[in-house]
Amino acid sequence: MRRLLTRLFLALIICASCAVALARAQRPDAPNVIQIYMPDGSQPSSVMRFTLTRDDGRIETLFTDSKGKYSMTNDLVSASGYTITVETDRQTYDTTTTVFHILRVAESVYVSVYLRPLKRPALPRAQVIDAAELDAGVPAEAQAAYKEGMELIAKGQADAGVESLKRALGLYPNYVRALNDLGVVYLEQNRLDDAADAFIRALKLNSRFPYARLNLGITLDRQGKHAEAAALLETLFKENPTLAGVRATYADALYNAGRLADARKMLRAGLEDATLKREEKAELHYKLGRVLSREEKTAEAVKELQAATELEPTAFNAHLLLGGSLIALKRPAEAERSLLRAYELGGTRAGHAQLMLGQLYFEQKKFDLSLRAFEQYLRDVPDARNAAQIRDVVARLQGTPK
């Protein structure tokens, strides 16, 4: 029986250390709220667009209500570290970045984002597309329908908001901003074909609009069109290297396309940027560690993942991958510490830590701990593809003398 279990565990650990599936966190009793304020402390007078980057690499373009408030939906509360980026309007406020953490799924946070005042002259408009410019020439009726749609979406009424955005496009089919934001809603709803169609239509009208290009790249990557996404994002990155989210998104597309050497070179080059913020540097170290792990350069991967955890100690996904890499290097004591830390930080979101702990304990003949870890894994990730196999392992371990 032990030989059978060992073969199964070897297969499990390879799978777990290469690709970590995260279970959804439970919704907290009160929502996590993001509130954006103008540089003078007042609330915005219209819907605000911002980018939310999670420490697991997911990037979302989101919208507040007309007073700058956004309540995080349940599916977004599944990571420990978050970065909010509000791009400058080049008239009243500068690009602003805020970092916050959700350490326990049961806690609620209120994040205040005070926009930085603009301290430099407005950039030449020929160089950067301003979203406000996209409203030029749009009939007032279409703008009103667009505003209504965005406010409904900010309130969580996505379907009603989509209908208002469609009405705006019916009134003015060339409304690039409405097309892009409609695509964002479809992307959040995982309606990938509809999202891609909206972004493509927007780019046919304005091929220089960077947000539609970035969003199309994200959509293509999620559709499994990794090579196409990488090609699009490569061009965008060369033209707009400071665009929020573009480097991380491009790295993901390269990774998913199997262009590991290119992803590695791009991430290493990014780490040479002296202007990187702490959380940005941690993200690049983590993504580089992921690439190196897939390339089976495990010792190098460990160094990058350790750097990531030092910069962002609460990034459970980095601890999780570090634990798997340490198992591969046969450093069980360190692996156990990393996996326990990952589970402490991520809880059910880091359910795969229990899978690897079960294997680790089994190899050490700690069958009681192994059994408990596998049972916890089944509770945390009940829909896992290997659930039937693990249940069989649990049944066999229950019959193993302790």
Side-chain angles (χ1 to χ4, degrees):
M1 182 192 73
R2 181 178 177 185
R3 186 178 300 170
L4 173 62
L5 290 176
T6 301
R7 287 199 299 267
L8 176 58
F9 290 147
L10 287 173
L12 292 176
I13 192 59
I14 291 170
C15 174
S17 62
C18 292
V20 178
L22 302 179
R24 286 190 174 184
Q26 295 179 346
R27 185 179 180 85
D29 294 336
N32 297 284
V33 173
I34 296 169
Q35 176 65 59
I36 297 177
Y37 294 96
M38 301 302 290
D40 63 1
S42 64
Q43 293 180 338
S45 58
S46 61
V47 171
M48 300 288 293
R49 175 192 282 106
F50 67 97
T51 300
L52 185 68
T53 303
R54 305 191 325 188
D55 63 3
D56 61 3
R58 179 174 171 182
I59 301 171
E60 299 285 351
T61 300
L62 303 170
F63 305 91
T64 70
D65 62 15
S66 59
K67 296 183 179 180
K69 180 179 178 181
Y70 178 81
S71 297
M72 293 178 67
T73 55
N74 188 36
D75 68 310
L76 289 178
V77 188
S78 57
S80 59
Y82 302 80
T83 301
I84 299 169
T85 303
V86 183
E87 292 289 337
T88 177
D89 67 348
R90 296 184 295 121
Q91 300 300 315
T92 57
Y93 58 86
D94 215 333
T95 295
T96 303
T97 301
T98 299
V99 177
F100 69 98
H101 296 84
I102 300 177
L103 300 183
R104 298 179 298 276
V105 296
E107 74 175 332
S108 298
V109 298
Y110 188 96
V111 183
S112 298
V113 181
Y114 289 89
L115 298 176
R116 297 168 53 201
L118 192 68
K119 295 182 180 180
R120 54 181 173 74
L123 296 174
R125 290 192 179 266
Q127 300 298 320
V128 179
I129 292 291
D130 187 340
E133 290 183 9
L134 303 177
D135 286 344
V138 178
E141 296 87 348
Q143 290 193 43
Y146 168 80
K147 181 179 179 181
E148 177 186 76
M150 297 310 299
E151 290 177 350
L152 287 167
I153 291 165
K155 293 176 182 178
Q157 302 175 34
D159 292 339
V162 165
E163 292 306 313
S164 293
L165 292 180
K166 287 181 177 179
R167 182 157 50 86
L169 288 165
L171 292 166
Y172 189 69
N174 293 343
Y175 202 164
V176 173
R177 193 175 185 182
L179 278 168
N180 178 71
D181 295 346
L182 177 62
V184 169
V185 178
Y186 286 147
L187 185 58
E188 291 178 350
Q189 295 176 334
N190 205 36
R191 296 170 57 180
L192 301 181
D193 291 342
D194 291 332
D197 178 67
F199 297 136
I200 290 170
R201 287 168 60 194
L203 291 171
K204 284 181 178 178
L205 296 168
N206 187 334
S207 61
R208 295 175 55 243
F209 188 35
Y211 297 110
R213 295 166 70 189
L214 177 63
N215 291 331
L216 179 58
I218 294 170
T219 305
L220 291 170
D221 200 37
R222 291 191 188 178
Q223 286 179 314
K225 301 176 181 179
H226 307 306
E228 188 175 349
L232 184 155
L233 292 166
E234 180 179 12
T235 302
L236 178 61
F237 176 72
K238 288 178 178 178
E239 296 176 1
N240 299 272
T242 61
L243 180 67
V246 67
R247 184 186 294 275
T249 304
Y250 179 35
D252 286 340
L254 289 170
Y255 175 84
N256 292 329
R259 294 172 54 185
L260 302 182
D262 290 334
R264 174 167 30 85
K265 290 176 183 177
M266 197 274 291
L267 291 167
R268 287 198 188 282
L271 285 167
E272 294 176 2
D273 185 353
T275 67
L276 282 178
K277 297 180 177 63
R278 183 183 183 91
E279 66 278 1
E280 293 172 329
K281 194 171 184 179
E283 180 184 17
L284 294 184
H285 276 299
Y286 166 71
K287 290 185 182 294
L288 179 56
R290 186 178 61 164
V291 170
L292 292 166
S293 178
R294 187 169 166 185
E295 290 181 311
E296 298 184 358
K297 299 176 180 179
T298 312
E300 294 181 53
V302 164
K303 293 179 181 179
E304 298 300 330
L305 294 167
Q306 287 174 332
T309 57
E310 289 171 6
L311 290 165
E312 283 290 328
T314 59
F316 75 87
N317 57 338
H319 288 284
L320 188 58
L321 187 54
L322 175 59
S325 299
L326 289 167
I327 287 177
L329 291 180
K330 300 190 181 303
R331 292 159 62 177
E334 295 171 82
E336 181 183 16
R337 285 196 296 270
S338 292
L339 293 172
L340 289 173
R341 182 59 174 157
Y343 194 74
E344 178 187 356
L345 292 168
T348 57
R349 297 169 292 163
H352 280 72
Q354 294 294 341
L355 175 66
M356 289 186 274
L357 282 167
Q359 188 269 346
L360 186 64
Y361 292 139
F362 176 80
E363 290 185 347
Q364 296 172 335
K365 298 182 180 180
K366 299 176 181 179
F367 298 121
D368 54 341
L369 292 177
S370 180
L371 176 60
R372 285 164 50 188
F374 283 125
E375 288 176 333
Q376 187 63 51
Y377 170 69
L378 290 174
R379 287 192 290 270
D380 291 341
V381 196
D383 298 326
R385 291 183 179 181
N386 59 359
Q389 293 172 289
I390 299 302
R391 280 193 290 269
D392 182 62
V393 171
V394 166
R396 292 172 182 271
L397 280 172
Q398 287 172 338
T400 300
K402 297 180 173 58

